[in-house]
Amino acid sequence: MLLGIDIGTSGSKGVLVDHAGLVAMRAERPHRVSTPRPGWVEHDAEAVWWNDFVAIARELVAAADGDPIDALAVSGIGPCLLPADADGNPLRPAILYGVDTRASVEIEELDAELGARTVLERCGSPLTSQAVGPKLRWLMRHEPRVWQSTRMLLMASSFLVHRLTGRYVLDHQSASQCVPMYDMTARDWALDWAESVAPGLRLPELSWPTEIVGHITARAAAATGLPAGLPVTTGTIDAWAEAAGVGVREPGDCMIMYGTTMFLTQVLTTPHPQPGLWTTCGTWPDTYTSAAGMATSGAVTDWLRALTGSDFTELLDEAAHVPPGSRGLLVLPYFAGERTPLFDPNARGMIAGLTLTHQRAELYRAVLEGIGYGVRHNLEAMAAAGTHATRLVAVGGGTKGGLWTRIVSDITGLPQQLPADTVGAALGDALLAAESVGIDTAAWNPIIATLDPDPAHTAHYDSYYRHYRALYDSTKATAHFLAREQHRAAT
């Protein structure tokens, strides 16, 4: 049996999988992010990451009922910044990935110091809210006592690996998002820039997600119920584990992850740095990735669900009866700023075209469509960078019900494949664990359906998409003014 456990933005999941890739047991725990200030998004690593992991591990080990477990792989949200002491104990809550926008000043400083073009060429990605480097400098400046005690740079996966095995290690893919501290060409730490950003900080060893880097210690076994000596792989960021779990590994393959945020990862054989996207190392040594991510998606649908006091089942059913275009509504889904390809933390959400005749069904469909327009925008940015996606695979909780995926295919004009299991990154973790011990995973999680676009709907959405693109440009100044007012009110 194989174990895979993932720490997500709004929940943690784990699976127990046999050698054929069949899921024998699932376990999950919900959790929430903390947003103590506008632009700050955090997790308590002990209360969320570790407690979730322990609870899920114990549940899955009990389900194994004595069957031998061959290996464990973990993944988690990222890139994150969890400063820890010399023993790996967290010194403050973890600063999460690109949805946390606190380090905008530090981004501008590092761009000025290093040169934005030089950073892009050396690191593969621009300095944005996704990058770890500016957040380290923010920590040094704003929380000097924490910085003085910091001896480790951890993410969700590496925090768990360290606690389970004692190894201070990070996978290349995650490290390549520690811009500007990783050299994409050398595939190693850029020690000169790392010293400039985080002087004196010892960086983790580098490894690949399928490499075994340690074994469960006696202390970790007592805490988790896992067998002492169980092999543990390096782990990685959740989106890359999820892509592995649905067979996205050949050049041109692209995963669209319908989650709390929308995320896209496309496999490349050579890096194609582009200012509006992230170019990273891939999951396997011979691959790279073009990645894109929206700041919200499921987070907005959940906001609307809570606001209207309804549930997703009835909202989806009602929205399915609304025609494409939501009877003249257009939504900019920038409710937490926007990541790729705008990189604008001060963008704001907008609902255009509201009348007294619109109901929650139109609003909900318009939100799904607005996120679909964002997916199209990102796919067009990838194509402009010379990396055309040739196969789209849809995953994540948002694929349930079929409406959202159908809307996205209609808006983009592209088919999407659906795998047998969309459990998420945890299944990808189990696959990476299997590969680490030599198990063949070629037949795992096959594609079972293809969702083709409706050409008539695509033609109808084309006009809406043009106005979607124009709406951001025409309202940008107002959105930025309102963002400043929100920050001022919060402080």
Side-chain angles (χ1 to χ4, degrees):
M1 305 296 283
L2 293 311
L3 276 180
I5 298 178
D6 172 65
I7 309 296
T9 303
S10 54
S12 301
K13 296 180 180 180
V15 291
L16 180 69
V17 182
D18 68 17
H19 287 198
L22 299 177
V23 177
M25 177 66 181
R26 307 170 193 261
E28 59 184 286
R29 295 292 185 277
H31 56 244
R32 293 185 177 275
V33 297
S34 171
T35 53
R37 296 186 187 181
W40 291 29
V41 188
E42 302 178 344
H43 267 167
D44 183 316
E46 295 286 0
V48 175
W49 296 355
W50 181 243
N51 286 354
D52 278 10
F53 178 87
V54 170
I56 289 172
R58 287 191 171 278
E59 189 171 339
L60 294 177
V61 168
D65 196 27
D67 286 346
I69 300 173
D70 300 293
L72 162 72
V74 297
S75 63
I77 48 173
C80 301
L81 167 57
L82 176 65
D85 65 18
D87 296 319
N89 297 310
L91 296 169
R92 71 171 322 281
I95 300 171
L96 300 196
Y97 51 100
V99 294
D100 186 294
T101 59
R102 73 184 70 194
S104 56
V105 171
E106 289 74 19
I107 291 170
E108 292 178 2
E109 287 178 356
L110 287 169
D111 266 336
E113 290 174 22
L114 304 175
R117 188 67 199 177
T118 304
V119 170
L120 182 65
E121 291 172 351
R122 186 179 189 186
C123 303
S125 300
L127 282 162
T128 68
S129 63
Q130 188 85 344
V132 170
K135 293 172 181 177
L136 276 167
R137 180 168 284 192
W138 180 94
L139 182 72
M140 186 165 51
R141 173 175 292 158
H142 293 279
E143 298 181 1
R145 290 187 178 180
V146 172
W147 171 251
Q148 288 169 6
S149 300
T150 298
R151 297 294 180 270
M152 290 184 181
L153 159 62
L154 298 175
M155 298 190 192
S157 59
S158 60
F159 167 72
L160 294 174
V161 169
H162 180 267
R163 185 155 290 189
L164 294 170
T165 69
R167 291 289 307 280
Y168 179 39
V169 62
L170 187 66
D171 67 293
H172 281 273
Q173 192 287 122
S174 300
S176 68
Q177 298 198 57
C178 292
V179 181
M181 301 190 300
Y182 185 91
D183 189 313
M184 183 71 71
T185 301
R187 289 197 165 190
D188 202 354
W189 293 115
L191 294 178
D192 52 343
W193 284 2
E195 183 62 22
S196 174
V197 172
L201 180 63
R202 182 171 70 92
L203 297 173
E205 298 177 50
L206 295 172
S207 184
W208 294 97
T210 56
E211 292 183 301
I212 295 171
V213 293
H215 299 81
I216 298 293
T217 64
R219 182 177 181 181
T224 64
L226 294 167
L230 177 69
V232 179
T233 72
T234 312
T236 191
I237 291 174
D238 54 1
W240 279 259
E242 188 152 9
V246 295
V248 172
R249 62 191 303 161
E250 298 299 325
D253 287 355
C254 181
M255 177 196 71
I256 303 180
M257 183 172 72
Y258 295 73
T260 305
T261 66
M262 189 72 80
F263 204 83
L264 297 83
T265 60
Q266 183 185 166
V267 180
L268 311 174
T269 54
T270 56
H272 288 262
Q274 206 270 352
L277 300 167
W278 302 300
T279 302
T280 76
C281 286
T283 304
W284 297 275
D286 58 346
T287 62
Y288 295 87
T289 302
S290 179
M294 299 173 65
T296 62
S297 58
V300 184
T301 62
D302 190 51
W303 167 81
L304 187 57
R305 177 203 58 76
L307 193 68
T308 58
S310 50
D311 62 51
F312 284 124
T313 301
E314 60 183 334
L315 282 171
L316 284 167
D317 182 63
E318 292 172 6
H321 292 87
V322 176
S326 301
R327 298 191 175 97
L329 286 185
L330 193 57
V331 170
L332 295 183
Y334 310 146
F335 284 54
E338 186 54 302
R339 297 191 287 169
T340 63
L342 300 179
F343 290 129
D344 184 358
N346 293 315
R348 287 298 179 265
M350 179 172 295
I351 305 172
L354 274 174
T355 71
L356 295 176
T357 63
H358 288 112
Q359 302 296 316
R360 69 182 186 183
E362 287 87 358
L363 278 170
Y364 191 73
R365 185 180 182 105
V367 165
L368 299 182
E369 291 172 340
I371 297 163
Y373 300 133
V375 172
R376 177 170 168 174
H377 194 183
N378 277 292
L379 287 171
E380 288 182 354
M382 287 181 171
T387 58
H388 292 265
T390 56
R391 185 172 76 100
L392 302 181
V393 182
V395 300
T399 62
K400 295 176 181 177
L403 177 62
W404 201 355
T405 47
R406 187 162 65 250
I407 287 171
V408 169
S409 277
D410 286 346
I411 288 173
T412 62
L414 298 170
Q416 296 176 85
Q417 295 182 347
L418 300 172
D421 200 317
T422 59
V423 68
L427 180 58
D429 293 328
L431 181 145
L432 296 174
E435 291 190 5
S436 75
V437 291
I439 295 171
D440 184 5
T441 62
W444 283 35
N445 203 14
I447 298 298
I448 59 170
T450 298
L451 186 64
D452 291 312
D454 183 322
H457 291 173
T458 301
H460 184 74
Y461 279 130
D462 281 345
S463 58
Y464 275 79
Y465 177 67
R466 288 193 295 271
H467 284 280
Y468 169 88
R469 294 288 301 273
L471 187 58
Y472 166 73
D473 291 329
S474 62
T475 60
K476 184 176 179 179
T478 299
H480 286 192
F481 165 75
L482 295 173
R484 288 193 298 270
E485 288 295 293
Q486 291 161 5
H487 284 289
R488 185 178 64 82
T491 56

